[in-house]
Amino acid sequence: MSDDVVLKPDTVAKPKVQQPRLYKVILLNDDYTPREFVVQVLKAVFRTSEDQAYRIMMTAHQRGACVVAAFTRDVAESKASEGTDMGHRKGYPLAFSTEPEE
């Protein structure tokens, strides 16, 4: 009989790294920006597919607003500004806002 000793490795306590808070980018409905343009902006800024962009646009149209995606604060604010600016450059009141996720 052998006297094999099984050693268990010490467990290393890893500090919990807190994930950065996410912010939702919200498409706000307006009655002036053409639907096709909203779809173009969603595809360009948020890299959505045509189908995803259409569904987001229609949800905002029917409910008044729709969450497009969630990002870290800087990215969310940057994308919201980029989308809003694209609309304003064309003379549309297109608007995106951001708010922290619960």
Side-chain angles (χ1 to χ4, degrees):
M1 231 162 98
S2 66
D3 291 321
D4 289 335
V5 177
V6 178
L7 296 175
K8 291 185 178 176
D10 290 337
T11 56
V12 179
K14 290 184 182 175
K16 293 216 178 209
V17 178
Q18 189 163 358
Q19 294 288 1
R21 188 169 194 188
L22 294 180
Y23 284 72
K24 299 180 278 194
V25 178
I26 301 161
L27 168 61
L28 305 174
N29 184 55
D30 69 74
D31 293 330
Y32 303 100
T33 307
R35 292 178 181 189
E36 299 78 22
F37 182 76
V38 176
V39 169
Q40 284 179 338
V41 171
L42 290 168
K43 287 169 55 180
V45 176
F46 298 95
R47 306 285 185 243
T48 65
S49 69
E50 183 91 20
D51 286 346
Q52 288 171 317
Y54 183 80
R55 283 196 303 271
I56 292 166
M57 179 273 301
M58 285 306 295
T59 300
H61 177 69
Q62 292 163 350
R63 297 185 182 169
C66 181
V67 174
V68 179
F71 303 97
T72 57
R73 184 178 192 165
D74 289 348
V75 174
E77 289 176 353
S78 173
K79 287 187 176 288
S81 293
E82 185 180 352
T84 299
D85 291 347
M86 284 178 76
H88 291 180
R89 281 196 300 272
K90 292 284 190 181
Y92 300 128
L94 178 66
F96 293 87
S97 67
T98 61
E99 68 181 47
E101 280 197 322
E102 280 80 46

